[in-house]
Amino acid sequence: KETDFLNQRAWIYYMQDNYKGAEADLKKVISIDKKNALGYRHYGFVLYAQKQYDQAIEKFKKTIELDTDSTYYSARTGLGLCYKQKKDYAKMAEEFANAIETDGWDQIDTEMGKLTPEELSYMHPALEAKKKEHPKDVIWPYADGICSNYEHKYIEGLKSLNEALIIEDNPYIYNQKAQVLSRLGQNNEALKACMKGLEIDSSNSALLDTRTMILCYEKDNAKKAKAAADTMLSRAPHKV
């Protein structure tokens, strides 16, 4: 289909910072098919890249209107990014929480890691609202715990991770819990968390790496432990 080709080429243009070329193709897509959700979604990101946030918001909202069940890197993430740039942090948090719900944590984790402490503080009410709406869904206390950890509020983060583990025994949550406990200086408890996670998945590379990091601390090898910690924090998957 012509629209498929134009959408694909527009995204290539976008990745090459050729925004004029991308816009030209996307205008053609929408003129051919006014219900082409992917075209509006691409157009939203092209406009966002050019700091045209209000226009981008319109395109992302149109995408959601046309395709509410989309599972690709979503328009809701785009909306959150736009509201972040407009410093409307309450709406940013609401849309990022919606993106977690529709696309999963993996799609939003990178953006969470870029938020300032002030911006992160708006995430907690949004995530709390989702927890009340979906009390048996592990993703909400887990996401709340990760946000607290990004703020270096490890006690609050640990509380949320424990709440998540009540809902589901999950090796990735145990991995996060182990890292938090280690940062709090509770290495014996951190090792126990690693072992519980490894009982579920003995080959989990994230848990194995975290255990190695903690053992470095246990051996008082501070330099090696710091290098291992830096590596872990840069690559540890936040899957659930």
Side-chain angles (χ1 to χ4, degrees):
K1 289 172 59 176
E2 184 179 3
T3 53
D4 291 342
F5 167 76
L6 290 169
N7 263 322
Q8 186 175 31
R9 189 171 69 178
W11 195 248
I12 292 171
Y13 284 153
Y14 164 74
M15 297 298 290
Q16 296 173 337
D17 298 334
N18 180 0
Y19 303 130
K20 288 186 178 180
E23 281 197 68
D25 277 354
L26 293 169
K27 286 178 180 177
K28 289 179 184 177
V29 170
I30 293 169
S31 69
I32 295 169
D33 179 8
K34 291 182 172 56
K35 295 185 178 181
N36 192 293
L38 188 59
Y40 283 104
R41 180 263 190 184
H42 285 355
Y43 207 162
F45 279 107
V46 170
L47 291 167
Y48 172 81
Q50 298 177 86
K51 301 182 179 181
Q52 299 178 35
Y53 303 124
D54 289 332
Q55 296 93 320
I57 286 170
E58 291 179 8
K59 296 297 186 291
F60 288 134
K61 285 184 175 180
K62 186 66 175 180
T63 306
I64 294 165
E65 175 189 326
L66 294 170
D67 190 9
T68 55
D69 296 324
S70 172
T71 55
Y72 48 71
Y73 189 69
S74 82
R76 293 195 180 278
T77 299
L79 278 174
L81 291 170
C82 288
Y83 287 127
K84 175 186 174 182
Q85 294 300 325
K86 288 169 65 67
K87 300 187 184 303
D88 189 339
Y89 299 133
K91 285 187 178 180
M92 172 206 74
E94 180 183 352
E95 292 303 339
F96 279 161
N98 287 333
I100 293 169
E101 185 171 16
T102 57
D103 296 349
W105 176 261
D106 282 358
Q107 294 295 338
I108 197 68
D109 184 26
T110 300
E111 301 305 332
M112 293 294 98
K114 296 176 183 177
L115 297 182
T116 66
E118 179 189 2
E119 293 162 356
L120 281 165
S121 69
Y122 285 83
M123 289 301 305
H124 298 296
L127 294 171
E128 189 63 34
K130 292 291 186 182
K131 277 197 282 185
K132 290 180 180 178
E133 187 178 349
H134 307 286
K136 295 184 179 180
D137 194 338
V138 68
I139 190 62
W140 303 118
Y142 178 75
D144 201 33
I146 296 297
C147 286
S148 292
N149 295 339
Y150 280 141
E151 295 176 274
H152 305 295
K153 295 181 178 179
Y154 299 122
I155 299 298
E156 291 91 335
L158 188 60
K159 180 181 177 181
S160 293
L161 292 173
N162 283 331
E163 185 182 341
L165 285 168
I166 291 172
I167 299 172
E168 178 185 324
D169 263 351
N170 185 293
Y172 290 101
I173 302 175
Y174 277 114
N175 181 55
Q176 287 298 314
K177 179 177 178 178
Q179 290 189 28
V180 172
L181 286 167
S182 181
R183 285 182 169 273
L184 290 170
Q186 301 178 34
N187 289 325
N188 287 336
E189 293 301 313
L191 284 171
K192 289 179 183 178
C194 282
M195 295 311 297
K196 286 183 179 180
L198 289 169
E199 286 174 7
I200 301 169
D201 181 2
S202 61
S203 62
N204 188 288
S205 60
L207 278 164
L208 291 170
D209 284 350
T210 297
R211 184 179 65 177
T212 299
M213 177 190 74
I214 295 166
L215 289 171
C216 288
Y217 279 119
E218 288 289 281
K219 294 175 182 178
D220 293 325
N221 190 340
K223 184 176 180 180
K224 185 176 180 181
K226 183 179 184 302
D230 289 343
T231 299
M232 272 303 307
L233 290 173
S234 67
R235 73 182 187 185
H238 290 156
K239 297 180 181 178
V240 172

